[in-house]
Amino acid sequence: MLGRHLQHSDSPVNPPPLPLNQCLAKSRKSADGMVLPGRRVLSHCQIVGEVARAIMFRMPDWLRAALFPDGSELIAAAHDIGKASPTFQKKIYTALTQRDDAVLSALKTFNADTEKQWGGHAGVSQATAEAYKVGRFIPEILGQHHGFSPNLSMYLASCGSFGGQVWQDQRMALLAQLKQVLGSEFPVVNGELHARVLAGFTTVSDWIGSGSFFDNPDDDSPSQIEFALDSAGFIQPQFKSALSFLDIFSFTPKDTQINLIAAVNQPGVYVLEAPMGLGKTEAALYAAYQLLEKNLATGIYFALPTQLTSDKIHERVNAFLQKILADESPHKQALLVHGNAWLKQFEMGEEGNPGGAWFAQGKRGILAPFAVGTIDQALMAVMNVKHGFVRTFGLAGKVVILDEVHSYDSFTGTILDSLVKALRQLHCTVIILSATLTQERRAKLLGITPLVTSYPLITAQPNKGNLAEIDVEAIPDVAVGIVHQTDVNAIEEVLLRAEAGQQVLWIENTVNEAQDIYKKLSARATGMGVACGLLHSRFTKADRAANEENWVTCFGKGGTKTRAHQGRVLVGTQVLEQSLDIDADFLVTRIAPTDMLLQRLGRLWRHTETVRPQAARREAWILFPDLSTAIATPEVAFGATAKVYAPYVLCRSLAVWQSLTLVNIPGQIRELIEATYARQDENEDMARHLHQVEAMRAKLERLALLGLSKAGKTSSEEKAQTRHSELESAEVLLIRSYQFDPHKHGTWVTLLNQERLWVPQNGRSLPRSKWREISATLMQNTLKVADYLAPNAVSKTRINWLADYFYLGRPEYDESDLLRVALVGDDENLSSLDGAQVNDKYQLSYNSRAGYVAKK
């Protein structure tokens, strides 16, 4: 602690502090680009406190009573008390267009750049609250409101760097004024999870309180707060009452669906294990509707297993929301946080504006009442990652539906157990849907000893009441033929069947392999009158939506007429195994863990009403290596698949499937899954592969740190690892060309579809909706790729013209090179903006048929 004392005393050279009515919290930009003084610190803090109080007022009573005690608004208000410090004031006054010489002269002994050492004004807020003695959690919440924990090991509130005791007295006076204007005292914070929720609440209140409604420092009308909350989407949705399952989905529920709906009658954790294609999604959505209608939940977060959410699942959930929302509910216009509609309609304040870290729909969704997103966004709610706690706040009180939870993910290590435990304490209802859980996995998720092993099965663990394991009506088996073949024979068979009018699915485990197979098949398919397509994660958002729309129409429920026109081959990756309702006549798949293979078999003959060519057989061809070779050298035998899935699980799966010629579904699902994951003694090679999985699992479990300030550095969201095979990724913007116009202060951008877009340099001066629209259009031309395959980063000055439209990261948070930009030439090859090599190891190209191609 010696270092803290060294900095403690008032240095005699510390001049008197600025009066509070001169301490700025914000600056603002005028239409002509001038930087003007914005709100004072007291005014801004008071607004954020009032915003927080208004958010609490809009919550259901049960949620407020449980997690948001009176005085929570004072925590939010106090977030920026550290701005009453000499270094922050020097920084903000120096940036103004018109110099204030008197103020700058009073601050001349301070260096604004030193702020980085203690985490800026947030660090000063934390130190000030520590000196105020309000317990451990409230200071940490104030220090973290920009997403990271400040390093205060060397600093106390009254140290010279923060202006000495005279500035600390000024901050104390500011706090006293805030308590008086809000009529509040600090509340008691009950532990780390409660602190996380209140930290998220504080940060979101700050974002909204920093939005455009409060830009004008002379406008203090209270109605602005209500407008700001409405425009951020913080509006309680209104529901139609007493709708039946038939009213919403236009078909009568099956026995399994009826039983789940009856079981989910209060918050708790519920698991539905049932085969693919049984309508688990509809059952979960109707159960959620019942809780929403009774005011026992605040919204729905539908979490998908891949890092890629499908447009199609959004359409299904949107159709459900259209039915249940009352006509006057504002959410009816732009229901889901997906696509451009939501990005254009709602304004989440400062960080949620274009160029802010939370403008991207993947993140914003967790704060909206209804969203479909990835499970990764939910998992970050229990991790020590930047803004992890904003997600914790966003999920509180909701129905969280975890779709397609596999045994594979938990076996290789996931943070899911911590998430489920936390969600219960956050008064959520958790509905877990799975076709492929082992008994051990279900036991661990729920913390129970299971007694029933039948399948399908519902396990209900309500918050108030007893555990129930509910048997449901058995489903008749269908037999699927299993054939083991080589790639060469599979290619011939696929073309033969497609030529005879069949709709064929070929699923690979990596994008590169899918692209290679697509290239081979499409080269021959055209001359045979066969359509050939490709779906994976490396398309721009715009191309992916168009591709999906086209192919899901052909392979989907309503595609009977289209199917009859011609045979088709759709090649793809894991995108095809989940959340897309597609129905194939014939399937070829690369070996994968048993759960994923079963999931893929669920795409075969999915709809009974589909008319199929006469020669079609319910059959899947599985491509896999010899087992002994795979055990000895998995990287060679499995190739790229061994980078995606743990070799141990691949070998165990191969041992189960290698001799099968017929599988009965759903009858054998439980048996195949248990055989793959049951504990067993292993020989030396397999013991080595198992050890590799266990080491990875231990590493991931260490990442599941619940604490707001547990040891270790806060990771950036882009670097947070939530699953076994994840690699750091980069966002890539692809355009044809760009031309800066110095006279008009902006850039002409030619998009991939040859459309020209005007991108003004000062986006903030545009009308809000126009600004968001330009950003949303640019985002449609982005995709995510692994860091090593992305275009090399160029200097930030080259892409600064995009800073008002994309979040480019902040160096003080160790966030750089978040956005990569490349030009796509007429020859489809990518080139760098600065004329240098676009990637040191790969040749990169892009087209709308194959997507983003990286060749060594």
Side-chain angles (χ1 to χ4, degrees), residues 492-667:
E492 297 308 321
E493 186 70 15
V494 159
L495 290 169
L496 201 65
R497 295 203 191 197
E499 196 178 23
Q502 292 190 35
Q503 313 294 305
V504 182
L505 216 49
W506 184 311
I507 303 183
E508 289 287 350
N509 300 321
T510 70
V511 175
N512 284 3
E513 288 173 313
Q515 287 170 328
D516 288 346
I517 289 290
Y518 166 73
K519 199 172 167 187
K520 288 174 186 165
L521 288 167
S522 61
R524 292 176 56 189
T526 325
M528 302 167 72
V530 168
C532 196
L534 180 63
L535 273 184
H536 55 67
S537 58
R538 281 195 225 145
F539 284 102
T540 62
K541 291 185 174 75
D543 286 342
R544 193 156 153 254
N547 269 344
E548 227 175 65
E549 181 59 43
N550 174 30
W551 284 95
V552 175
T553 306
C554 300
F555 276 75
K557 215 170 194 166
T560 311
K561 272 189 185 154
T562 332
R563 287 176 98 99
H565 289 177
Q566 65 182 139
R568 293 177 182 80
V569 184
L570 176 57
V571 182
T573 55
Q574 292 83 343
V575 182
L576 297 178
E577 82 194 26
Q578 57 221 353
S579 73
L580 286 181
D581 188 12
I582 46 184
D583 175 354
D585 299 323
F586 175 50
L587 170 73
V588 176
T589 169
R590 187 76 49 197
I591 183 73
T594 295
D595 345 25
M596 282 63 176
L597 287 177
L598 288 166
Q599 201 62 44
R600 292 171 191 186
L601 293 187
R603 309 288 136 197
L604 262 180
W605 292 47
R606 193 173 167 90
H607 303 306
T608 44
E609 66 273 24
T610 302
V611 181
R612 300 180 199 281
Q614 231 173 340
R617 301 188 294 284
R618 196 189 293 247
E619 194 172 80
W621 285 24
I622 303 179
L623 311 171
F624 58 64
D626 167 68
L627 180 59
S628 55
T629 314
I631 290 172
T633 54
E635 287 75 14
V636 177
F638 292 118
T641 293
K643 288 192 168 73
V644 179
Y645 298 118
Y648 177 74
V649 181
L650 287 170
C651 291
R652 287 286 302 264
S653 300
L654 181 46
V656 169
W657 287 84
Q658 65 175 353
S659 54
L660 292 175
T661 54
L662 200 71
V663 171
N664 290 311
I665 291 189

Side-chain angles (χ1 to χ4, degrees), residues 435-510:
T436 55
L437 272 191
T438 58
Q439 294 287 80
E440 185 184 354
R441 194 60 209 116
R442 176 167 62 105
K444 199 162 179 239
L445 267 174
L446 294 166
I448 60 163
T449 308
L451 303 169
V452 181
T453 60
S454 56
Y455 185 93
L457 182 67
I458 291 164
T459 313
Q461 195 178 34
N463 284 353
K464 294 177 182 149
N466 299 325
L467 174 79
E469 293 174 279
I470 304 155
D471 265 335
V472 292
E473 195 180 290
I475 293 158
D477 277 346
V478 294
V480 180
I482 303 293
V483 176
H484 309 300
Q485 268 297 354
T486 63
D487 288 35
V488 175
N489 290 348
I491 286 173
E492 297 308 321
E493 186 70 15
V494 159
L495 290 169
L496 201 65
R497 295 203 191 197
E499 196 178 23
Q502 292 190 35
Q503 313 294 305
V504 182
L505 216 49
W506 184 311
I507 303 183
E508 289 287 350
N509 300 321
T510 70

Side-chain angles (χ1 to χ4, degrees), residues 59-132:
M59 290 174 182
D61 297 344
W62 53 267
L63 186 63
R64 197 162 68 231
L67 297 171
F68 301 94
D70 289 347
S72 299
E73 69 277 10
L74 181 60
I75 300 178
H79 74 290
D80 266 356
I81 51 175
K83 285 185 172 175
S85 59
T87 47
F88 180 82
Q89 291 305 315
K90 175 117 182 221
K91 180 170 78 176
I92 198 165
Y93 270 99
T94 305
L96 298 180
T97 305
Q98 284 186 307
R99 279 178 62 87
D100 187 320
D101 291 325
V103 168
L104 288 172
S105 158
L107 299 170
K108 66 177 184 286
T109 56
F110 293 97
N111 175 1
D113 291 339
T114 54
E115 274 206 319
K116 294 187 186 105
Q117 295 164 17
W118 56 81
H121 66 271
V124 185
S125 294
Q126 179 167 338
T128 302
E130 279 173 0
Y132 195 70

